[in-house]
Amino acid sequence: GPRCVAVGGDEVLDAVESVLGIKPGETTPDNKFHLETISCFSQCQTAPNVVINDEVYGRMNPRKVKKILSGLK
């Protein structure tokens, strides 16, 4: 959504794509990760947000998302 884009959501998505090597709608070869985007998560106060295994991570930035994903790989 607009709020997420305004606070760096595109950069967070770029970082996720870089770490996982996939684009939205794709799954990693090991089937461990599937990447989806949505237009609005309705959590503007903590934007941008990432959901991993049903856990919401707010106020994300590229460094944070890379750290989280690297710990799960």
Side-chain angles (χ1 to χ4, degrees):
R3 171 75 177 142
C4 284
V5 171
V7 295
D10 288 341
E11 290 84 8
V12 171
L13 178 58
D14 290 344
V16 172
E17 292 175 348
S18 174
V19 170
L20 298 181
I22 59 174
K23 299 283 184 189
E26 296 179 343
T27 302
T28 55
D30 62 3
N31 289 317
K32 192 170 182 180
F33 295 95
H34 181 78
L35 179 58
E36 290 291 333
T37 61
I38 60 171
S39 61
C40 186
F41 190 64
S42 298
Q43 296 291 322
C44 296
Q45 69 277 11
T46 59
N49 299 286
V50 173
V51 179
I52 303 171
N53 295 331
D54 297 322
E55 185 171 344
V56 179
Y57 296 85
R59 296 182 178 86
M60 296 304 295
N61 62 46
R63 180 187 54 78
K64 286 181 182 178
V65 78
K66 286 179 182 179
K67 183 177 180 181
I68 291 167
L69 290 173
S70 294
L72 297 174
K73 286 184 84 176

